[in-house]
Amino acid sequence: MEKAEAEPSASADSARPWQSYTTVYTNAKAGMDGVDKEKVQRTVYEMSKGSKYFENEERKEAFIRQKIDNMRARCAKLSASDISHYQMVADKRILELEATRDLSRIWLHVDMDAFYAAVETLDNPSLRGRPMAVGGMSMISTANYEARKFGVRAAMPGFIARKLCPELIFVPTDFKKYTYYSDLTRKVFQKYDPNFMAASLDEAYLDITEVCNERDLTSGEIAEELRTSVHEVTGLTCSAGVAPNRLLAKVCSDINKPNGQFVLPSNRMAVMTFISSLPIRKIGGIGKVTEHILSGVFGINTCEEMLQKGGFLCALFSRSSADFFLSVGLGLGKTDTPQVRFRKSISNERTFSATDDTALLYQKLAELSEMLSIDMQKEGLSGRTLTLKLKTASFEVRSRAVTMQKYICSREDILNHALKLLNAELPLSLRLIGLRISHFNEDKDGHLSDPTQKTLANFIISGDASGKNVCEHSLLGSDTSDSHFMVDPENDLSIDNHETCHYVSEDLLDSNLLSDLDHCNFNLSNNSGKIDNNNELPLNGSVAKVNAPNVVGCAPKSHQIKVSHLVEADSFSFSEQCESNRPDRARRTNNDLDDGVPSSNQKEQFLWVNDYKCSLCGIELPPNFVEERQEHFDFHLAEKLQKEESDNSRNLMLNQRFSQRDHTASQRRHKRHKSSKKEGSKSSQKESKHLPIDMFFVKSNQNF
Ligand code: DCP
Ligand code: MG
């Protein structure tokens, strides 16, 4: 096994402190190749020095350095036999991973160019050719390519961007517009892959294997056509990458940005050549922290070096982390076709010689209903929206849809509703009938849900659970941090507004480390113990301290907020928000209640700072993500109540202990055990009014 030659542990050069890792606004963005990196670093350093942000960045930097030093020390302690053992482990894993290589699919990753900025320019052509950024003085969401030449980029504070580029024009964000254009692009994507995987408002993964085969076109031709079509429909340009897996397709889409494409052929040699000199930072999931650690500890800078240092990676990281790194070294990525849960709909259709014979049409409809029902049951699906597609004898295509209260999947139910839709169109001569069911009842975890069921927020707010208005509850604990969920930058994707929102940290190790760091922010004394005892950095760590199992939809990329920023964020407390939402103080909305009790909608509304950012965890969801916001709100409520419940149980136990002690003492002194018992039972009755949150879920599930 090669030596783990690492760069000397980074310590800021005192003569050029701006070179410190913390102040680097990476040059990984497209359009920033010619930028004077050092000038940008110096400006960023000078502008942010002394700020809270800067201090926090320095703390993070120190933490990562400590981590690197610890890992290097552990590397140095590996004996010769350890080293040969781990080398064997790595060699075996590499062979096993290699055996999983699948070159049979063609994946296309499409990413809009300077998306928000391009949309704004479309709206206001006078911006064309001038450096502009979307956002404000505190933060910018993106910058056009003219501004990038000055080092201005997404996630940079606007006041720093202005310093770098005094001519910079700022345009405020307008999510409605971006969502509108995003929807237009998705209509195009759908034509090439009906199950395309949207990764954010401006990017998607498409499996174009079928369309290439069906149309006998090369992947490059399809990419070209798709980009032209997006441009025709939206007036915006996009870039595309084609590769045998999603991980590589994403890397490829950035190569010829803007308005370009890159095709990586589907053969092992091409992949290995491509990956060999690729900087690790280009890989989705490897951000500045992982890059720093891999470079600082092992001297790994390119993907190929992951394989060369495989033994050390296996020695120091968990199996899943090491597997990820080795896969990157092999250029492997996900190739699977989206699973059932990514499906938006299920459909069938039948073409026949044009006929207006009603009995025949009914028969076709019955057959289609039966087939659809069988297919749905095979996949365990039920849906709420039924769409009838008809093609008339004159080739006019009509769609009629109905959304039911209940989820359906039986032949009878489907046929019943389909007949109603068809009858409304008859008499008619038809040559095609199709049926589609969408709006499935399957959440991310495959749990069934009932559309008629109240959301948790409604349930609590209406007082059903505790008899209390939510405002009366105590503060939401600041430790929303304890919830973790898996990160898979390729896989946690959303198809439409019914899929899992992916709160993907750009850096897998980063997210994990930062979650530790944020603990440090809250409780410094815990800091070292937690770090030192942790021998490895689990790859699938926490992200943004938000466990949003059912948060659906796809949020803009700026939701990739690091936890440490959340800690610093100007978040106001849940109860304060409730308070400020009281009818006498609140901004009233159209939906205000007459009875003076804030509606769940109102409560959900005030959660969002500037109408798009969750004040509790920093996640950003545009206003039109109504369901997603509701669910996000529910998530915080559930978390809060869970915490309360555990506090309540603790209090209850303590109360009982005290009351037992009092009771025994009274017995001894006054023999008043009867009244004491009564009090005890009253108190537990009162406590049991609080339905434990896990009980709530159990009960709810029984209703499904
Ligand atoms: N975005 C954001 N916050 C970030 C990064 C991005 O709000 N930290 C938003 C603005 C971007 C959009 O998401 O326009 C798409 O992000 P991209 O990373 O794809 O960046 P752009 O599309 O702006 O530029 P390009 O893809 O050409 O590099
Ligand atoms: Mg983009």
Side-chain angles (χ1 to χ4, degrees):
M1 171 159 108
E2 285 195 27
K3 262 185 78 190
E5 288 156 7
E7 64 181 24
S9 187
S11 68
D13 182 339
S14 53
R16 298 154 92 199
W18 51 85
Q19 289 205 316
S20 151
Y21 217 79
T22 56
T23 55
V24 176
Y25 273 94
T26 75
N27 61 355
K29 271 304 235 186
M32 299 183 75
D33 287 344
V35 172
D36 180 347
K37 202 172 148 192
E38 182 150 354
K39 185 179 159 212
V40 173
Q41 282 178 324
R42 201 169 54 232
T43 308
V44 172
Y45 174 79
E46 278 158 8
M47 296 292 289
S48 52
K49 200 167 67 176
S51 69
K52 275 225 162 80
Y53 168 79
F54 186 86
E55 282 167 17
N56 199 45
E57 287 293 300
E58 281 196 323
R59 258 201 310 273
K60 285 196 278 182
E61 169 80 10
F63 173 78
I64 291 159
R65 283 208 194 118
Q66 187 191 342
K67 187 85 208 169
I68 289 174
D69 288 345
N70 291 347
M71 292 178 79
R72 295 183 77 207
R74 283 175 41 222
C75 267
K77 277 191 199 147
L78 290 173
S79 68
S81 72
D82 288 339
I83 292 178
S84 75
H85 166 74
Y86 284 113
Q87 186 60 57
M88 271 163 51
V89 171
D91 292 344
K92 184 164 171 273
R93 269 321 273 157
I94 289 171
L95 283 178
E96 286 165 356
L97 290 167
E98 179 60 52
T100 68
R101 189 184 296 276
D102 175 7
L103 295 165
S104 66
R105 311 302 304 176
I106 309 170
W107 280 96
L108 180 148
H109 179 253
V110 53
D111 189 302
M112 303 302 293
D113 301 323
F115 184 48
Y116 294 2
V119 169
E120 295 300 341
T121 307
L122 209 56
D123 221 33
N124 175 4
S126 76
L127 294 169
R128 200 169 296 283
R130 300 162 71 193
M132 63 86 80
V134 176
M137 278 298 159
S138 58
M139 195 56 75
I140 58 178
S141 293
T142 195
N144 65 6
Y145 280 74
E146 284 77 7
R148 291 183 198 190
K149 289 179 197 152
F150 296 83
V152 174
R153 51 160 294 147
M156 177 180 268
F159 65 92
I160 295 180
R162 166 69 51 86
K163 179 83 180 172
L164 289 169
C165 174
E167 307 293 302
L168 190 67
I169 301 166
F170 288 91
V171 178
T173 45
D174 181 347
F175 285 110
K176 256 199 195 124
K177 268 192 239 166
Y178 315 141
T179 311
Y180 170 77
Y181 282 99
S182 176
D183 287 346
L184 291 182
T185 64
R186 288 176 185 191
K187 289 202 175 101
V188 176
F189 303 158
Q190 202 152 22
K191 289 185 190 149
Y192 294 86
D193 176 7
N195 295 315
F196 75 89
M197 304 163 81
S200 74
L201 282 183
D202 92 320
E203 64 178 308
Y205 293 88
L206 287 75
D207 182 345
I208 54 167
T209 320
E210 315 303 344
V211 75
C212 287
N213 290 341
E214 277 165 17
R215 297 181 51 200
D216 198 20
L217 290 175
T218 65
S219 55
E221 286 166 337
I222 291 288
E224 197 75 61
E225 186 189 295
L226 178 141
R227 294 194 306 110
T228 306
S229 179
V230 167
H231 188 247
E232 277 166 10
V233 170
T234 63
L236 302 167
T237 64
C238 62
S239 300
V242 176
N245 63 55
R246 295 200 291 273
L247 182 125
L248 294 175
K250 185 167 168 75
V251 177
C252 290
S253 69
D254 208 49
I255 291 178
N256 286 321
K257 243 183 187 306
N259 201 13
Q261 63 183 55
F262 182 87
V263 177
L264 178 62
S266 279
N267 68 69
R268 187 179 180 278
M269 181 71 95
V271 170
M272 292 309 285
T273 308
F274 177 77
I275 207 82
S276 62
S277 57
L278 191 71
I280 52 175
R281 184 62 187 276
K282 295 279 180 194
I283 300 290
I286 299 187
K288 78 172 181 188
V289 172
T290 306
E291 181 190 33
H292 196 182
I293 288 175
L294 291 178
S295 167
V297 180
F298 310 99
I300 295 175
N301 295 301
T302 64
C303 296
E304 191 177 42
E305 286 163 351
M306 296 275 201
L307 297 183
Q308 291 160 7
K309 302 286 162 57
F312 286 100
L313 293 172
C314 289
L316 267 81
F317 288 102
S318 68
R319 174 162 169 153
S320 62
S321 302
D323 271 3
F324 172 71
F325 294 136
L326 295 177
S327 305
V328 166
L330 290 166
L332 300 174
K334 295 262 163 45
T335 59
D336 56 327
T337 34
Q339 293 160 10
V340 172
R341 71 165 186 260
F342 287 123
R343 246 186 209 285
K344 287 194 295 187
S345 63
I346 186 164
S347 61
N348 57 19
E349 59 184 42
R350 182 165 292 181
T351 308
F352 39 84
S353 318
T355 174
D356 58 0
D357 181 336
T358 311
L360 208 59
L361 294 176
Y362 284 169
Q363 191 195 323
K364 303 272 178 218
L365 201 63
E367 286 164 11
L368 286 166
S369 302
E370 177 148 32
M371 277 156 45
L372 194 59
S373 170
I374 291 168
D375 287 347
M376 289 177 74
Q377 285 171 27
K378 257 192 236 156
E379 297 190 3
L381 296 170
S382 319
R384 220 148 65 83
T385 300
L386 176 73
T387 306
L388 174 73
K389 178 180 167 187
L390 305 172
K391 194 185 277 179
T392 66
S394 55
F395 292 93
E396 178 203 345
V397 178
R398 298 182 190 177
S399 305
R400 301 288 180 259
V402 58
T403 297
M404 281 78 69
Q405 274 287 94
K406 287 271 170 201
Y407 292 106
I408 60 165
C409 66
S410 72
R411 172 193 179 276
E412 290 70 27
D413 281 343
I414 297 172
L415 182 58
N416 186 18
H417 289 98
L419 273 173
K420 283 184 197 156
L421 293 175
L422 178 63
N423 283 333
E425 303 301 308
L426 296 180
L428 200 60
S429 178
L430 295 173
R431 56 174 71 247
L432 177 147
I433 299 181
L435 285 176
R436 183 171 78 237
I437 295 248
S438 52
H439 244 121
F440 294 140
N441 62 338
E442 201 181 37
D443 64 21
K444 183 173 177 272
D445 298 314
H447 297 135
L448 299 179
S449 61
D450 180 346
T452 58
Q453 196 206 335
K454 282 184 176 184
T455 64
L456 178 58
N458 294 339
F459 187 80
I460 303 296
I461 288 162
S462 64
D464 292 353
S466 62
K468 286 181 173 188
N469 183 293
V470 70
C471 294
E472 294 168 19
H473 287 291
S474 60
L475 271 178
L476 177 65
S478 50
D479 57 348
T480 51
S481 49
D482 289 335
S483 309
H484 295 194
F485 71 103
M486 304 278 280
V487 188
D488 178 347
E490 295 175 77
N491 233 10
D492 284 347
L493 301 165
S494 59
I495 290 298
D496 60 6
N497 290 350
H498 300 274
E499 290 299 341
T500 314
C501 186
H502 76 298
Y503 297 101
V504 179
S505 163
E506 281 185 352
D507 189 327
L508 299 176
L509 296 185
D510 184 12
S511 54
N512 195 273
L513 289 169
L514 292 182
S515 111
D516 281 351
L517 273 170
D518 290 319
H519 258 286
C520 308
N521 288 347
F522 283 117
N523 184 359
L524 281 167
S525 60
N526 269 346
N527 179 342
S528 55
K530 183 153 189 174
I531 299 163
D532 292 341
N533 293 338
N534 187 3
N535 280 344
E536 56 188 29
L537 297 160
L539 185 65
N540 296 316
S542 64
V543 181
K545 306 208 164 187
V546 179
N547 182 5
N550 287 323
V551 176
V552 292
C554 123
K557 288 183 184 174
S558 47
H559 62 222
Q560 296 165 358
I561 289 169
K562 297 295 190 292
V563 182
S564 50
H565 300 171
L566 307 182
V567 173
E568 282 187 358
D570 233 357
S571 61
F572 44 97
S573 76
F574 206 68
S575 63
E576 277 164 357
Q577 295 165 61
C578 289
E579 189 63 19
S580 66
N581 196 48
R582 275 164 46 170
D584 48 338
R585 299 197 198 174
R587 278 178 298 148
R588 290 195 142 234
T589 65
N590 297 340
N591 295 333
D592 277 2
L593 290 180
D594 296 333
D595 61 8
V597 179
S599 68
S600 69
N601 185 21
Q602 274 179 283
K603 289 185 184 307
E604 191 267 326
Q605 286 301 320
F606 64 70
L607 187 67
W608 304 98
V609 177
N610 295 336
D611 208 21
Y612 75 92
K613 181 169 171 179
C614 173
S615 58
L616 296 177
C617 68
I619 270 180
E620 295 180 8
L621 278 172
N624 56 330
F625 286 75
V626 178
E627 282 175 38
E628 295 84 314
R629 281 183 168 216
Q630 177 69 58
E631 288 188 69
H632 188 73
F633 176 72
D634 288 351
F635 160 70
H636 280 310
L637 260 182
E639 197 178 39
K640 182 175 100 65
L641 293 176
Q642 206 158 21
K643 186 173 184 298
E644 278 187 10
E645 283 310 324
S646 63
D647 290 345
N648 281 340
S649 330
R650 252 202 314 275
N651 289 342
L652 179 58
M653 274 167 60
L654 284 174
N655 283 346
Q656 281 172 339
R657 231 179 270 157
F658 284 126
S659 108
Q660 184 61 39
R661 204 178 58 191
D662 289 343
H663 172 65
T664 318
S666 338
Q667 260 188 333
R668 270 204 308 271
R669 284 198 304 270
H670 307 293
K671 297 189 180 175
R672 281 172 53 199
H673 61 281
K674 260 190 176 174
S675 70
S676 177
K677 250 187 192 169
K678 247 185 201 169
E679 271 170 32
S681 77
K682 250 189 215 163
S683 121
S684 57
Q685 256 174 31
K686 192 174 163 208
E687 297 297 347
S688 68
K689 265 184 145 183
H690 267 293
L691 189 65
I693 199 71
D694 46 355
M695 283 290 293
F696 170 76
F697 285 123
V698 171
K699 289 201 171 190
S700 308
N701 285 335
Q702 283 167 357
N703 294 334
F704 292 159

